[in-house]
Amino acid sequence: MALHNILTSTGDWLGGDGPHHQIVVSSRVRLARNLGNFPFPGWAKKNERLQILEAIKPQVELLPEMSDAFSVYSQDLSALEKQVLVERHLISREHAAKGLGSAVVMNRRQTLSIMINEEDHLRMQAIRSGLQLKSVFKMIDKLDSLLEERLDFAFSPQLGYLTACPTNVGTGMRASAMVHLPALVLSEQINQVIQAVNKIGLAVRGLYGEGTEALGNLFQVSNQTTLGEKEEDIIARLHKVIEQIIEHEQNARQMLLQKRPNTLLDNIGRGYGILQHAYSMNSKEALNLLSFMKLGIDLGFFPEPCRQPVDELFMETQPAHLQKGTSQKLAADERDSLRAEIIRSKLAAFPKPSVGSGGPGNGASHSSAN
Amino acid sequence: MNCDACKASQATVFLTQIVDGKMQKVNLCEACSKEKGVTDPTGFALADLLLGLGAAQEMERGGTVQKCPTCGFSQADFKKTGRLGCGACYQTFSEGLATLLKGMHKGTEHIGKIPARALQSIQRDSQVRTLQRDLRKAVAAEDYESAARLRDQLKQF
Ligand SMILES: [Zn+2]
Ligand SMILES: [Zn+2]
């Protein structure tokens, strides 16, 4: 199947219909595996990397889950195509930098993606919308079991699956959930939450942006350790913590609605106004304003059909996604104009935020016309 | 302030993360932060990076072996990359890695999934050990009938 077909469809996990999908954008589990009789990719010589690739790729393509797969050598992807795949979370930034000797195989629904010769010989991921870590783990675990019937994985009874980096040894598993936490950010409780989660050995970081900055109020929560704990226990622990984070976020939303409704409405209203009328917008501003639109939909200020277009904009306004739609190379300012244009056209038909009864903004949408 | 990774360029990306209640700071230059995939949202890179920087020093203190006989990877290489050369490196550098893994993970023993193939050989090993133990017992007890039977069973492995 052609990459073109993959890229024109948005992928199942972006569909946004999993459990708790309002707050949990997606759940993902990744497994790192290596062949026993070869050096890790970073230390292997070029001809060894090619041997590894030819040992693994046909076996991956034979998997029943990959019968409709898109399978390609890294050197056959353009820089832009790789960047689009990075923005879709289908390959890592590190993998995008690879050329000869690496490959990626993904299913049509974009729920499974297998990188060959990334940092490890195999990095296999499953991703789905909403909070469904358990089923996502099952998906990738099944794939792993099928592959290990045909491939000899580096494994030590004491240390488990051996990986290039000691931080991944043991289960070789990274499970994560992408969560949208605008109310915790607005009410300045987010740092407390992050610290509490860190204390129990899970990591929280902003999805976009560097350091502590979290653009679009999107965070990724993942397990930090991989040795000394069973896969199912790691998943269960993470699941429980995510449920608690959801509860905190929901409480924070209720608190804002009751105690600081104007702060909330101001952010949502400004987001709506600027997104609908801007002619130039960088990706940072877009992510932050789209986050408030998403919150507004969750809170019922916009009708439900507004959800999908907003969710899609998070992805479509990323630099490579903008670029892939046009034939000439866009400069940064041209990208900002195009981004604003796409957002304007998508939001053109959106109604004004309808502020329900009870809040001080009651009837604001009408009185503003007077 | 210089970059923690290359020690040459001016650091422009400052990262802080709280791990097990301890604050960890890493300062990187633009090029290294890109190279290390700090902007990678996938979650692998940053943890690796943060742990990787301290990791090499930890291992240097612990180990005595210089090169992996299987792949030729050295401690100096680990210091440079924060990655190992091959699966056998875990055995080669086990002394230095032990402290490192202890500080990094919840435990020091894998208790998760075992690949079916490895499971077979692990089970076989333990069966062999059991048979050998029983054989020693039988010989000590001068139970030659059992000993002969156990010896036959061991031959089959
Ligand atoms: Zn540097
Ligand atoms: Zn080695």
Side-chain angles (χ1 to χ4, degrees):
Chain A
M1 189 170 65
L3 179 62
H4 174 78
N5 294 337
I6 291 256
L7 298 184
T8 46
S9 65
T10 47
D12 265 20
W13 70 269
L14 270 170
D17 52 1
H20 298 292
H21 68 265
Q22 293 194 354
I23 291 172
V24 185
V25 178
S26 63
S27 299
R28 170 161 56 160
V29 178
R30 260 200 194 176
L31 298 176
R33 297 289 185 257
N34 289 280
L35 300 184
N37 42 355
F38 285 99
F40 300 135
W43 188 243
K45 295 183 179 62
K46 190 193 251 176
N47 68 321
E48 288 173 317
R49 280 204 306 274
L50 289 168
Q51 282 177 51
I52 295 160
L53 179 59
E54 290 319 319
I56 295 177
K57 191 164 171 273
Q59 298 301 337
V60 172
E61 288 166 352
L62 275 174
L63 295 166
E65 286 84 352
M66 291 299 183
S67 59
D68 63 349
F70 167 67
S71 175
V72 66
Y73 292 113
S74 292
Q75 73 270 21
D76 295 336
L77 286 170
S78 71
L80 176 64
E81 288 169 329
K82 286 176 180 169
Q83 201 48 43
V84 170
L85 295 177
V86 170
E87 290 174 2
R88 294 251 173 123
H89 308 292
L90 291 169
I91 65 172
S92 64
R93 231 167 257 274
E94 194 175 19
H95 201 61
K98 305 279 178 187
L100 187 66
S102 295
V104 62
V105 184
M106 61 190 76
N107 66 347
R108 191 190 183 97
R109 296 164 65 207
Q110 301 174 39
T111 51
L112 293 166
S113 151
I114 298 190
M115 291 177 267
I116 305 172
N117 281 337
E118 200 238 28
E119 180 184 300
D120 294 295
H121 295 155
L122 274 160
R123 284 273 175 97
M124 317 184 266
Q125 80 160 35
I127 185 168
R128 292 180 84 167
S129 137
L131 180 59
Q132 25 189 352
L133 286 164
K134 257 179 237 170
S135 75
V136 167
F137 170 66
K138 271 195 194 131
M139 276 167 74
I140 204 67
D141 183 52
K142 187 179 158 207
L143 212 101
D144 174 55
S145 297
L146 286 173
L147 273 181
E148 73 184 18
E149 285 173 14
R150 302 165 188 167
L151 299 169
D152 249 322
F153 289 151
F155 181 87
S156 130
Q158 204 216 325
L159 291 176
Y161 293 96
L162 303 175
T163 51
C165 185
T167 51
N168 300 320
V169 78
T171 59
M173 183 184 81
R174 260 336 127 165
S176 66
M178 196 200 298
V179 287
H180 182 231
L181 307 173
L184 286 172
V185 173
L186 260 184
S187 58
E188 290 168 5
Q189 298 179 65
I190 191 70
N191 285 334
Q192 281 166 266
V193 171
I194 292 178
Q195 285 181 18
V197 174
N198 278 161
K199 257 193 199 128
I200 51 172
L202 300 174
V204 185
R205 60 182 67 97
L207 182 66
Y208 302 103
E210 279 156 7
T212 49
E213 196 182 24
L215 302 182
N217 301 314
L218 287 165
F219 296 84
Q220 177 151 296
V221 188
S222 63
N223 62 308
Q224 188 102 285
T225 60
T226 53
L227 184 61
E229 200 177 3
K230 280 187 185 169
E231 287 87 351
E232 289 81 2
D233 294 344
I234 296 174
I235 299 277
R237 200 154 61 89
L238 187 61
H239 181 93
K240 214 164 139 193
V241 168
I242 305 283
E243 279 185 334
Q244 283 165 354
I245 292 176
I246 292 171
E247 202 182 313
H248 280 295
E249 169 68 18
Q250 270 159 351
N251 289 342
R253 289 179 183 190
Q254 288 312 312
M255 284 295 277
L256 285 172
L257 275 171
Q258 284 162 25
K259 303 240 163 92
R260 294 167 59 198
N262 282 338
T263 308
L264 197 59
L265 294 172
D266 189 56
N267 276 297
I268 294 168
R270 279 167 191 271
Y272 172 77
I274 296 168
L275 288 168
Q276 231 182 22
H277 297 288
Y279 277 77
S280 173
M281 186 172 292
N282 64 31
S283 103
K284 180 178 168 178
E285 187 182 14
L287 284 169
N288 287 334
L289 297 177
L290 285 167
S291 165
F292 287 117
M293 282 301 293
K294 193 170 163 64
L295 177 62
I297 297 163
D298 289 350
L299 295 175
F301 294 144
F302 300 98
E304 197 55 31
C306 294
R307 183 178 299 281
Q308 205 193 334
V310 167
D311 282 348
E312 282 168 5
L313 280 173
F314 275 93
M315 188 63 67
E316 285 168 10
T317 56
Q318 294 291 301
H321 275 77
L322 287 176
Q323 180 65 63
K324 86 178 164 78
T326 67
S327 49
Q328 77 265 41
K329 176 110 181 69
L330 297 171
D333 59 330
E334 292 169 319
R335 270 206 308 270
D336 291 350
S337 311
L338 179 60
R339 182 178 292 114
E341 188 187 321
I342 289 172
I343 295 173
R344 279 201 319 275
S345 76
K346 250 198 170 145
L347 264 61
F350 276 33
K352 283 183 188 177
S354 89
V355 181
S357 56
N362 189 11
S365 60
H366 302 290
S367 60
S368 64
N370 297 337
Chain B
M1 193 187 297
N2 275 359
C3 167
D4 286 338
C6 66
K7 319 259 190 242
S9 311
Q10 180 77 21
T12 53
V13 178
F14 307 97
L15 299 163
T16 308
Q17 205 183 20
I18 298 159
V19 179
D20 294 334
K22 271 184 288 177
M23 195 107 103
Q24 292 185 314
K25 287 190 178 161
V26 178
N27 310 311
L28 295 173
C29 70
E30 196 67 31
C32 288
S33 75
K34 281 227 176 73
E35 189 198 304
K36 304 272 179 192
V38 167
T39 50
D40 184 350
T42 56
F44 260 104
L46 186 57
D48 293 1
L49 170 71
L50 288 167
L51 292 161
L53 286 175
Q57 281 128 29
E58 189 68 51
M59 200 163 95
E60 218 172 34
R61 259 183 268 135
T64 45
V65 186
Q66 291 303 312
K67 253 186 184 190
C68 173
T70 307
C71 74
F73 194 82
S74 72
Q75 292 206 20
D77 292 318
F78 184 69
K79 193 176 177 190
K80 218 160 53 194
T81 62
R83 308 286 184 273
L84 292 163
C86 78
C89 286
Y90 280 92
Q91 189 64 43
T92 309
F93 303 113
S94 60
E95 218 180 302
L97 277 170
T99 352
L100 183 68
L101 292 173
K102 210 168 156 187
M104 210 176 252
H105 292 291
K106 269 210 140 174
T108 51
E109 294 239 359
H110 177 63
I111 54 169
K113 184 174 183 176
I114 299 173
R117 287 182 182 212
L119 191 62
Q120 277 164 15
S121 79
I122 290 169
Q123 280 168 343
R124 199 165 50 230
D125 287 354
S126 95
Q127 273 172 337
V128 167
R129 273 198 304 275
T130 311
L131 285 170
Q132 283 169 337
R133 199 190 51 216
D134 292 351
L135 177 63
R136 274 196 305 273
K137 266 194 221 157
V139 171
E142 300 186 4
D143 178 358
Y144 297 113
E145 207 174 307
S146 304
R149 183 172 42 81
L150 289 164
R151 215 171 271 127
D152 284 345
Q153 283 180 356
L154 269 168
K155 265 188 208 143
Q156 287 176 0
F157 281 97

